[in-house]
Amino acid sequence: MIEKFTIDQIKSELINSCITFKPKSFKPYLMADNVSVDFPTKKRFYKFFKRMVKCAKHNSKGQLIPIMKFTESKIEQKEYSLSFYDAYHKYSRLTLPIIETEEVLHLDINPF
């Protein structure tokens, strides 16, 4: 049985897994019923997510800092991107577009 996590718990672990470069810690949260992805399966999303976190670790200098940039906010949902920056580079090392409702967190990954 897949454990049910709150949206805040999922977001918190997503951020933690990216700033510590440990994507495996996010896997149980990803598999929760209240998480959806813009990939054919959650397993494919996880493989790509893991690869992108590894690339971010390789291309970053120091610790990553998460920054949320809201693009649209409606009563029933919030759309934003969660970007991770280091202290050296101008552009983000990893960006995750997110659509959040009360029940579901929908994730995607920008490849560049």
Side-chain angles (χ1 to χ4, degrees):
M1 184 162 119
I2 298 175
E3 191 172 341
K4 178 94 170 169
F5 298 104
T6 66
I7 299 297
D8 288 334
Q9 287 174 320
I10 295 166
K11 287 191 302 187
S12 177
E13 189 53 41
L14 175 62
I15 292 168
N16 183 54
S17 69
C18 292
I19 63 174
T20 60
F21 303 112
K22 296 179 181 174
K24 189 174 184 178
S25 67
F26 181 64
K27 194 171 185 179
Y29 295 84
L30 173 63
M31 297 304 165
D33 290 337
N34 55 341
V35 175
S36 65
V37 295
D38 219 17
F39 275 66
T41 66
K42 289 183 179 182
K43 287 184 180 183
R44 284 190 186 174
F45 176 88
Y46 176 71
K47 282 183 173 181
F48 190 67
F49 173 69
K50 189 167 77 169
R51 194 170 339 134
M52 292 299 290
V53 170
K54 184 179 178 180
C55 287
K57 181 179 181 180
H58 179 73
N59 294 321
S60 299
K61 294 185 179 185
Q63 186 164 357
L64 294 180
I65 301 162
I67 296 177
M68 282 187 185
K69 295 179 184 175
F70 285 87
T71 54
E72 190 173 341
S73 190
K74 299 177 184 175
I75 293 173
E76 60 277 345
Q77 73 180 25
K78 296 182 226 170
E79 292 183 31
Y80 55 92
S81 63
L82 181 58
S83 299
F84 294 88
Y85 293 85
D86 64 7
Y88 182 78
H89 294 93
K90 180 178 179 179
Y91 299 105
S92 70
R93 305 291 90 202
L94 179 64
T95 300
L96 302 158
I98 297 173
I99 299 173
E100 178 183 336
T101 65
E102 286 185 22
E103 302 88 27
V104 178
L105 192 69
H106 182 78
L107 303 173
D108 196 6
I109 296 180
N110 286 344
F112 304 103

